Amino acid sequence: MTPSPIWHPFTQHGLGEPTPLVTGAGGAALFTSDGRRVVDAISSWWVTTHGHAHPRIAAAIAQQAGRLDQIIFAGWTHEPAEALAAGLRAIMPPELTRVFFSDSGSTSVEVALKMALGYWLNRGEPRHRILVMENGYHGDTIGAMSVGARGVFNRAYRPLLFDVETIPFPAAGGGQDTLDALDRACRDGVGLDGAAAFIVEPLLLGAGGMLVYPAAILAEMRRICTHHGVLFIADEVMTAWGRTGTLLACEQAGVVPDILCLSKGLTGGAIPLAVTMAIEPVFAAHHGSDRGRMFFHSSSYTANPIACAAANANLAIWREEPVLDRVADLARRQADRLAALETLPTITGARRLGTVTAIEIGGSAGYLSDRAPRLLDFFRRRDVLLRPLGDTVYVMPPYCISDADLDLVYEAIAEACDI
Ligand SMILES: *Cc1c(COP(=O)(O)O)cnc(C)c1O
């Protein structure tokens, strides 16, 4: 067989690791060309919420594809986008009055940052400084990397990343350092140096290692930003759609952001789409008769009708089915299994939020830990899709996963602790 010309993401092709050919998926399972059934314990990189090939979402995609596939969105509109914007308005916090479409989590973050800078410029008080949290992750485009943690992931691009001010991750049991640092950073600087916005993943930092911090800290960070008039951007690309136990993680802190980024579970995980929602003043700052104040952002496939139809099917599932009950049930089942696993001596740390659990195996040696490839290989052989972040193994399954499949996942993790 001639080698595939495909260059895979986050893959070192030189290691010669196998690349299974996936021919189908359903529920919490993937099916490979060599006849294996693989349990998808990470929701295919955090996107699949209700399950793979969900019949309602698949039908919506098929119907829409035959009706209207794609149309320019600058100056034109279509029903799937209008329905989706109205549907989001109905379930998201009422303060978030405006819906801007893009295609991925990274672009939803780029849009959020551009909205924030445009807001300040158009108000005649330009500010450029962006505040971020240590260990944050917001995507892999240059702007999204700039507001994320620096590391081996972005070493080559570092000179091009813009400067941000990083506040410390809330230390266990404390968090006062975080709040003090945020307060100082909001206060500092005038004019271009003023703080324009603070961007954060609410309650759970995903790619940074599935790190959890208390809702009280989130609420307090929001209060500090409000106090100083600094825009508060919640990147809920991973945390939304029930992942943390509620529709939005922000809900658990009673927080409404000024700008909200949504993607991954927006279509139930079936097809790429993102939205950035904003409070009215952010839109109003771009509004008027001056064409120079419009929001200068677009991509070819903005609000693609097929993707919007998938998202509408996802919203219908949320409206008509007991999704939060399923989430609560999975959270409980995850908690039970984590409690059993935690007693193993090789487990040096464990945490859980909503449907997500994370387990630390041995000492932490970072993302390039040499245990990680061994774990990856071990889980692949066990027909379980898990992809540790360094020595952190996390489980984030589709909400439909069965008890039997969840057991397979945790049995594999328990065995992996010894390798
Ligand atoms: C995955 C992720 C992103 C990036 O989303 P992509 O669709 O991969 O570009 C941004 N923010 C958070 C919190 C994420 O987990």
Side-chain angles (χ1 to χ4, degrees):
M1 215 171 83
T2 49
S4 165
I6 294 175
W7 189 347
H8 285 268
F10 273 73
T11 299
Q12 177 47 273
H13 285 272
L15 294 175
E17 290 171 338
T19 311
L21 180 65
V22 178
T23 50
L30 307 174
F31 303 99
T32 65
S33 60
D34 55 355
R36 289 185 294 137
R37 177 185 183 277
V38 178
V39 180
D40 185 354
I42 60 165
S43 296
S44 287
W45 251 357
W46 322 348
V47 299
T48 313
T49 48
H50 313 296
H52 284 282
H54 193 284
R56 292 185 73 171
I57 296 173
I61 290 172
Q63 273 168 20
Q64 187 58 44
R67 194 177 295 149
L68 170 65
D69 53 352
Q70 164 64 17
I71 168 80
I72 179 175
F73 206 60
W76 294 77
T77 195
H78 52 79
E79 267 182 347
E82 294 295 340
L84 178 53
L88 288 169
R89 283 281 286 124
I91 60 166
M92 292 296 161
E95 291 87 343
L96 297 165
T97 51
R98 300 289 167 169
V99 181
F100 191 93
F101 289 95
S102 65
D103 315 305
S104 70
S106 302
T107 54
S108 75
V109 166
E110 300 280 350
V111 164
L113 298 172
K114 287 173 72 172
M115 279 179 177
L117 297 186
Y119 168 83
W120 288 111
L121 180 70
N122 289 344
R123 282 166 53 105
E125 340 165 28
R127 297 184 181 192
H128 283 164
R129 209 153 44 83
I130 308 285
L131 316 179
V132 308
M133 183 181 274
E134 181 189 11
N135 299 319
Y137 176 78
H138 301 285
D140 282 347
T141 53
I142 294 283
M145 278 193 294
S146 296
V147 294
R150 306 294 195 263
V152 65
F153 317 99
N154 43 43
R155 202 172 50 201
Y157 331 112
R158 202 160 172 166
L160 294 184
L161 304 186
F162 58 75
D163 286 336
V164 294
E165 196 151 328
T166 307
I167 65 160
F169 180 79
Q176 195 56 45
D177 281 3
T178 305
L179 301 177
D180 291 345
L182 180 60
D183 190 62
R184 259 195 319 275
C186 285
R187 230 179 262 278
D188 281 354
V190 286
L192 287 175
D193 274 344
F198 172 53
I199 180 166
V200 72
E201 298 161 85
L203 303 187
L204 177 62
L205 273 51
M210 296 296 156
L211 306 173
V212 179
Y213 64 90
I217 302 282
L218 179 60
E220 199 54 24
M221 293 192 303
R222 197 336 167 202
R223 195 195 60 74
I224 291 168
C225 288
T226 306
H227 179 75
H228 295 290
V230 171
L231 292 172
F232 185 95
I233 304 172
D235 177 355
E236 294 238 20
V237 167
M238 190 270 273
T239 48
W241 306 107
R243 268 298 157 211
T244 66
T246 41
L247 176 64
L248 294 180
C250 278
E251 273 173 51
Q252 296 177 40
V255 156
V256 176
D258 297 310
I259 301 177
L260 171 69
C261 303
L262 298 172
S263 184
K264 294 189 170 127
L266 173 59
T267 60
I271 195 169
L273 185 68
V275 296
T276 307
M277 295 185 71
I279 56 168
E280 193 62 17
V282 172
F283 175 79
H286 293 83
H287 186 265
S289 52
D290 178 358
R291 292 170 63 233
R293 292 165 70 99
M294 72 172 111
F295 187 50
F296 292 104
H297 190 95
S298 172
S299 60
S300 309
Y301 287 99
T302 301
N304 172 261
I306 302 169
C308 289
N312 282 323
N314 172 47
L315 284 189
I317 292 168
W318 272 87
R319 278 191 304 264
E320 295 157 23
E321 299 183 22
V323 180
L324 282 177
D325 292 346
R326 288 174 198 157
V327 162
D329 184 60
L330 176 57
R332 187 184 45 72
R333 294 188 290 140
Q334 283 269 69
D336 289 349
R337 283 164 179 81
L338 186 65
L341 195 70
E342 252 180 307
T343 56
L344 294 178
T346 38
I347 306 259
T348 51
R351 46 194 177 272
R352 182 184 71 87
L353 183 69
T355 68
V356 184
T357 59
I359 299 122
E360 229 70 67
I361 301 182
S364 187
Y367 186 83
L368 296 185
S369 150
D370 51 349
R371 192 185 281 111
R374 275 184 286 134
L375 289 174
L376 209 56
D377 181 58
F378 176 81
F379 293 133
R380 204 186 285 118
R381 288 171 200 278
R382 292 294 297 258
D383 290 341
V384 170
L385 171 51
L386 279 169
R387 203 185 148 94
L389 291 157
D391 294 322
T392 305
V393 178
Y394 64 91
V395 184
M396 192 193 294
Y399 307 153
C400 63
I401 191 169
S402 68
D403 275 334
D405 280 347
L406 212 48
D407 286 338
L408 280 178
V409 172
Y410 279 86
E411 278 158 24
I413 296 173
E415 275 179 49
C417 289
D418 296 326
I419 67 170

